[in-house]
Each structure stands twice: as structure tokens, then as C-alpha cells.
Amino acid sequence: MGPCIPWDCSERGLRLITRLTAVTASVLVCGAPALADWRWSRAVFPVAMFSGYTSHFGLRIGPAGGSEPHHGIDIAAPLGSPIRSWWGGVVKELINDTGCGVGLVIQSGPYEHLYCHLAGSLDAGRYRSGQVVLQVDSRVASGQLIGHVGMSGRSTGPHLHWGVRYGNQWVDPLVVLRAMARARRG
Ligand SMILES: [Zn+2]
């Protein structure tokens, strides 16, 4: 059976195969026998000082009143608190725009993880926040400090917008978090 997106797998059991390449490349396969879920336990919750979820994945009511897709989850946390990389990978993109604000995209195999509304600044191709200095192609380890919670971009309070894309498709990070929790229990 071929690769699938996590929500297709979640009820039948997530199976994770890790290929040893320069980056830890991970592929989800539905129903593959005898491969344990334990590798999810390497993944790290990105917010060190969790205060709550403030917006879910999927359609929501936007500031203009209409419904709009929300391609991630919003996690409230104290201003300036640490953000850790969900998984080891390579910085693929640095962002500074009116929506995401200051942000990062990290690639881990077929996954891309997006971090928005960060503190710190982007200047001359480098993201800096406290002791963190990252640029495109910087390698990051799972759990590495990659920035701090801010309010840049479209943000009404300090929070992290965290998105996870598998291939070209945004997936619900809560599905990922549930799989991580199951792996820890197992
Ligand atoms: Zn958001």
C-alpha cells in the first residue's frame, strides 16, 4: 500500500518508516505490518510553555466575518517563550509578511512544518531571535530551539501558528499530536 496522509492512517494505526538519508526522511504507510509507532516519539511538541489551543485546523470565521480555511493550529504561549522544532530537518524558507509575520518553514523528509508570528527579526537572509540564528539550509535537530513566541503578522495575542504539510497537503496537526501521544504511551 502506498504513502498516505496521516488522517487516512490514524484510525487504522499509524506506521512510520524512516529512511536513513541526510535528512531524517519519514514516510507514512497505511497498514504496513510489524512496523512500530515508536518513531513518532522522537517528534517534539513545538511550544515549551503551552497555554492553550486558540484556533483549530479547518474552516473558521475570519476577521471579516466570512469563513476561511485555517491551515494549522494556534497555540497560545507567553511572549518570548521557546519554540522547538517538531522534527529534525532543514530550514527551507524564511518568511516575513503581513499574515504569517516572521516565520520559518522546516523540511523533514516529505513533511514541511511552518512556524508563524515569531519574535525576532529577519534581516539579510538570517532569522535572529535571542541566541537563535537560522538561515535557509540550516540544519535543525528535533526539539532544537528555533525561535520565540511573538506577535508578528496577523496576530491578536502571543501565539504560535503551527502548520504541517505532507507532500502538498496541509494536515491537521492535532492528528499528528495524537499519534505522538499514542507512541509515547506505547
Ligand atoms: Zn493560525
Side-chain angles (χ1 to χ4, degrees), residues 53-143:
Y53 295 109
T54 53
S55 191
H56 60 84
F57 178 88
L59 288 177
R60 67 174 183 180
I61 306 300
S67 74
E68 59 177 24
H70 185 230
H71 299 300
I73 57 174
D74 292 341
I75 308 169
L79 196 64
S81 60
I83 296 170
R84 304 177 292 196
S85 183
W86 168 64
W87 209 297
V90 173
V91 175
K92 189 181 176 191
E93 187 182 349
L94 300 173
I95 300 166
N96 191 4
D97 64 26
T98 56
C100 180
V102 176
L104 300 169
V105 177
I106 296 173
Q107 178 144 29
S108 302
Y111 291 95
E112 289 174 0
H113 26 134
L114 168 68
Y115 305 80
C116 287
H117 314 305
L118 306 184
S121 61
L122 193 62
D123 186 38
R126 283 196 171 85
Y127 167 64
R128 293 177 192 272
S129 181
Q131 296 187 334
V132 175
V133 181
L134 294 171
Q135 58 191 25
V136 169
D137 293 334
S138 292
R139 299 279 295 269
V140 299
S142 177

Side-chain angles (χ1 to χ4, degrees), residues 8 16-18 22 26 50 54 62-63 66 71 74 78 81-82 94 96 103 112 119 165-166 173 180 182 184:
D8 284 339
L16 194 66
I17 298 170
T18 301
S26 311
F50 174 80
T54 53
H71 299 300
D74 292 341
S81 60
L94 300 173
N96 191 4
E112 289 174 0
R165 196 158 46 193
Y166 181 81
M180 287 162 54
R182 273 200 302 276
R184 287 200 170 82

Side-chain angles (χ1 to χ4, degrees), residues 51-52 54 75-81 117 149-152 155-160:
S51 304
T54 53
I75 308 169
L79 196 64
S81 60
H117 314 305
V149 172
M151 287 185 60
S152 57
S155 174
T156 55
H159 75 281
L160 172 68

